Amino acid sequence: MFPPGVAEIVVAVCGLCIGSFLNVCIHRLPSGTSIVFPASRCPACAHVLAWSDNIPLGSYVVLGGRCRYCRAPISARYPIVEALTGVLFLVHWYLFGPTPLLFVRLAFACALVVLFAIDLEHQILPNVITVPGIVVGLICSLFLPPGPLMSVAGFALGGGLLWAIAEGWYRLRKVEAMGFGDVKMLAMIGAFLGVKLVILTFVLSSMIGGVVAVVLVALRRADMATKVPFGTMLALAALVASLYGDRLVAWYLGAL
Ligand SMILES: [Zn+2]
């Protein structure tokens, strides 16, 4: 119906624009300000940004990574999140095609991008994403994979597993290993992906966390007491599980 390549270009441009919106969420959600109002301003000089300052990737490149009005450097997070979201949209398009599940998994991926960036920067996982995320994941599973039963089981296992670890660690060491943001985030992942892929997400996130910890300690950037933002690892692992989880699990079970 379209010449080859047109659909991909539309999908990528949608991804870039949504990525631009995710940047607003990442910037504003931790401080609790509205994501729709007021208009975007330069964080350095507070000048209101024109539409031409907000073109995904384009404005950053044309302006050389600086504010048009005060020349203050713009965080590299903006073009990185935009480009990442564009790529994620394309990968989802190739894997899911024009199906209802595509839209569900794209919404899920967008939530993960925001949680990834906010946890990395602020070590918090805002309830305004995880709690509605749980509800949306459960409702969508009534009509789409993983199905309502697997979704509820994934929600319960994801939340219950981390809750038990946090509670056990607290009783053992009297320090909080993780906040309850992680518990709600893994419960959300379980609601969207189901019980099988929430287990995969937990295993993958532990592996990613282990590798990151070893690298940081080796680089002397951290010691054993450094808190690694676990939500950031969970977001990465959940993205892999959402996109390639079924294949990974089939490959693992076949290799046994
Ligand atoms: Zn400025």
Side-chain angles (χ1 to χ4, degrees):
M1 75 189 153
F2 293 120
V6 171
E8 284 79 3
I9 292 170
V10 171
V11 168
V13 169
C14 285
L16 289 174
C17 296
I18 298 283
S20 190
F21 171 68
L22 298 185
N23 269 317
V24 176
C25 297
I26 293 164
H27 180 64
R28 294 189 184 184
L29 284 182
S31 58
T33 38
S34 163
I35 52 171
V36 283
F37 192 79
S40 296
R41 290 165 179 273
C42 165
C45 68
H47 197 292
V48 174
L49 301 182
W51 65 269
S52 57
D53 303 321
N54 275 324
I55 298 167
L57 288 185
S59 299
Y60 188 86
V61 173
V62 169
L63 297 170
R66 287 175 180 277
C67 170
R68 186 195 302 275
Y69 311 99
C70 71
R71 309 298 300 155
I74 301 166
S75 166
R77 191 191 75 225
Y78 288 89
I80 290 171
V81 166
E82 284 158 4
L84 176 76
T85 310
V87 170
L88 277 175
F89 268 55
L90 274 179
V91 174
H92 278 79
W93 173 256
Y94 283 123
L95 290 175
F96 294 104
T99 59
L101 191 60
L102 171 74
F103 293 95
V104 176
R105 292 300 176 84
L106 277 178
F108 179 58
C110 288
L112 292 175
V113 168
V114 173
L115 290 171
F116 174 94
I118 293 180
D119 197 39
L120 189 62
E121 204 168 331
H122 303 278
Q123 287 79 54
I124 52 169
L125 295 161
N127 285 340
V128 297
I129 299 174
T130 53
V131 175
I134 291 170
V135 176
V136 171
L138 289 172
I139 290 173
C140 291
S141 78
L142 292 174
F143 315 100
L144 293 166
L149 214 62
M150 287 296 115
S151 173
V152 170
F155 157 76
L157 181 72
L161 185 68
L162 279 195
W163 181 81
I165 291 173
E167 191 65 23
W169 193 259
Y170 181 72
R171 298 225 170 134
L172 202 68
R173 295 285 191 84
K174 299 285 173 214
V175 287
E176 273 186 61
M178 53 188 110
F180 278 85
D182 302 295
V183 175
K184 281 170 262 180
M185 182 173 174
L186 198 59
M188 175 189 101
I189 293 167
F192 271 98
L193 300 185
V195 72
K196 185 176 68 177
L197 296 185
V198 83
I199 296 171
L200 177 71
T201 300
F202 184 72
V203 172
L204 285 176
S205 67
S206 308
M207 287 162 62
I208 297 168
V211 170
V212 170
V214 167
V215 169
L216 286 179
V217 170
L219 294 172
R220 297 182 192 286
R221 296 285 299 275
D223 58 44
M224 296 315 283
T226 303
K227 270 198 185 176
V228 183
F230 189 52
T232 301
M233 320 288 169
L234 276 181
L236 274 179
L239 269 178
V240 174
S242 171
L243 291 167
Y244 300 105
D246 287 320
R247 264 165 267 206
L248 274 174
V249 171
W251 168 79
Y252 180 74
L253 293 178
L256 281 181

